[in-house]
Amino acid sequence: MPSSTRFAVAIHALTVLTLLRDRPSRSEDLARSVQTNPAVIRRILGLLADAGIVKTQLGQGGGALLAKEPEEITLREIYRAVEEPHLFALHRSPPYPKCYVGHNITPVLEEEFSRIEQAAGAALDKTTMADIAAQVETTAGFAFKGDLRFPQPRAAARKPA
Amino acid sequence: MPSSTRFAVAIHALTVLTLLRDRPSRSEDLARSVQTNPAVIRRILGLLADAGIVKTQLGQGGGALLAKEPEEITLREIYRAVEEPHLFALHRSPPYPKCYVGHNITPVLEEEFSRIEQAAGAALDKTTMADIAAQVETTAGFAFKGDLRFPQPRAAARKPA
DNA sequence: CCTTTGTGTGCGTGATACAGTTACACAAAT
DNA sequence: ATTTGTGTAACTGTATCACGCACACAAAGG
């Protein structure tokens, strides 16, 4: 298991953005859905923005939006944007060069790991954010109607006090 | 990148065992080739032994041996023996259940991650320790002749003092 | 212009996983 | 009985995270 949960959080946030389409999402609202701190969301959104996947609007009424169509955002792009590139680690310190194996194992491992990462990458390429959003709707059992049902949509729509 | 280098170290050690065939390898010698501490090697060998990949002989002249043929040891088995099972992590704490996305995203992520791990697993299954050993010999440019050329093969074969 | 809203970011904290290291009990061979 | 080598426990240092606070800056709207 990787130490980082950024990939899962990024997909979660992007799912919200996909469902809300043109309505900007604030980091505070995304954080509530993910159950984390707004700063964590902002950092991940920053990585996604660097990759051209999302864009953000400052100020009142602002927030994050998708920068391209959900059909064009693959899981591979997201992974590359928020996680370390390698799935497998090599030795911490280089192996003993005077040993037959130590001297020759590294390029073999690199080639082998690269081959497996390519296979995983191909699998990641098969799914887009449009697919994820559709799967979420299927899991929910009913189509998304524009309301995430956050408890406090902003201030208090139901709390007159 | 995963935090652990156990997979790479395990493949390295098993390559030595494959090349040496029936000669037991001591954790001290494996540690020198990998450039680490013998206890680290013993821990990893312990995991590989639990998985039935290696066996060890105690006492003088002892060490580690393969428990099965190199052609029957796949990278997938090795990975499973020494690493955490999951390539991707879910949220640290569960998402907000009252949110449409938070309530439904987890099973979608699990299914998607499982699909990708299967693809990686299939790629890992394609390579055996026999393949790795052969690739190391190719990289070396000459076949292994039974001598790893550790500097101090035990005591001192070349150091008369 | 000034207040409100919201992002971007730097810094400190605590938790966790890992490699590395030492030490020691136990098993096997001679 | 001595030597050799494994298995394992305990401890350390280090890196990576998520987390959370705080504050500067940008944009919108009165």
Side-chain angles (χ1 to χ4, degrees), chain B residues 3-6 35-37 39-40 42-43 58-60 84:
Chain B
S3 31
S4 164
T5 65
R6 287 193 297 269
Q35 289 285 64
T36 184
N37 190 285
V40 172
R42 287 186 206 131
R43 270 193 287 261
L58 291 183
Q60 171 167 284
E84 292 287 331

Side-chain angles (χ1 to χ4, degrees), chain B residues 18-78:
Chain B
T18 298
L19 290 173
L20 286 181
R21 300 190 157 270
D22 296 334
R23 290 178 174 250
S25 302
R26 303 182 307 155
S27 58
E28 186 183 332
D29 292 327
L30 293 170
R32 191 178 310 127
S33 176
V34 173
Q35 289 285 64
T36 184
N37 190 285
V40 172
I41 297 293
R42 287 186 206 131
R43 270 193 287 261
I44 291 174
L45 285 178
L47 295 171
L48 294 172
D50 291 344
I53 297 171
V54 304
K55 58 190 171 192
T56 61
Q57 287 176 358
L58 291 183
Q60 171 167 284
L65 292 169
L66 292 189
K68 43 204 258 191
E69 294 304 309
E71 293 80 13
E72 289 167 357
I73 303 174
T74 68
L75 292 193
R76 183 181 213 162
E77 268 185 278
I78 302 168

Side-chain angles (χ1 to χ4, degrees), chain B:
Chain B
M1 182 176 62
S3 31
S4 164
T5 65
R6 287 193 297 269
F7 189 39
V9 171
I11 295 173
H12 183 147
L14 289 171
T15 303
V16 173
L17 302 195
T18 298
L19 290 173
L20 286 181
R21 300 190 157 270
D22 296 334
R23 290 178 174 250
S25 302
R26 303 182 307 155
S27 58
E28 186 183 332
D29 292 327
L30 293 170
R32 191 178 310 127
S33 176
V34 173
Q35 289 285 64
T36 184
N37 190 285
V40 172
I41 297 293
R42 287 186 206 131
R43 270 193 287 261
I44 291 174
L45 285 178
L47 295 171
L48 294 172
D50 291 344
I53 297 171
V54 304
K55 58 190 171 192
T56 61
Q57 287 176 358
L58 291 183
Q60 171 167 284
L65 292 169
L66 292 189
K68 43 204 258 191
E69 294 304 309
E71 293 80 13
E72 289 167 357
I73 303 174
T74 68
L75 292 193
R76 183 181 213 162
E77 268 185 278
I78 302 168
Y79 186 87
R80 205 168 27 211
V82 302
E83 295 281 357
E84 292 287 331
H86 290 298
L87 240 36
F88 307 103
L90 291 178
H91 303 65
R92 275 263 232 263
S93 42
Y96 194 55
K98 291 184 186 169
C99 165
Y100 183 85
V101 174
H103 190 265
N104 299 297
I105 191 76
T106 303
V108 173
L109 288 178
E110 281 170 347
E111 192 182 321
E112 206 61 41
F113 289 175
S114 158
R115 185 181 63 78
I116 295 154
E117 282 162 8
Q118 272 187 309
L124 284 168
D125 256 335
K126 289 213 179 87
T127 301
T128 70
M129 279 313 303
D131 299 324
I132 297 286
Q135 284 178 250
V136 167
E137 291 195 303
T138 301
T139 302
F142 60 97
F144 178 67
K145 300 182 186 65
D147 182 10
L148 287 172
R149 299 219 168 271
F150 286 129
Q152 290 86 293
R154 184 64 55 96
R158 186 163 305 216
K159 195 170 57 178

Side-chain angles (χ1 to χ4, degrees), chain A residues 31-102:
Chain A
R32 191 179 309 129
S33 177
V34 173
Q35 290 285 67
T36 184
N37 190 283
V40 173
I41 297 293
R42 286 186 208 132
R43 271 191 280 265
I44 291 173
L45 285 179
L47 295 171
L48 293 172
D50 290 344
I53 297 171
V54 303
K55 57 191 172 192
T56 61
Q57 288 176 358
L58 291 184
Q60 172 167 282
L65 292 169
L66 293 188
K68 41 204 256 189
E69 293 305 308
E71 293 80 12
E72 290 167 355
I73 303 173
T74 68
L75 292 193
R76 184 181 213 163
E77 269 185 278
I78 302 169
Y79 186 86
R80 206 169 25 211
V82 302
E83 296 280 357
E84 291 288 331
H86 289 298
L87 241 36
F88 307 103
L90 292 177
H91 303 64
R92 276 258 235 267
S93 42
Y96 194 57
K98 292 184 184 170
C99 165
Y100 184 84
V101 174

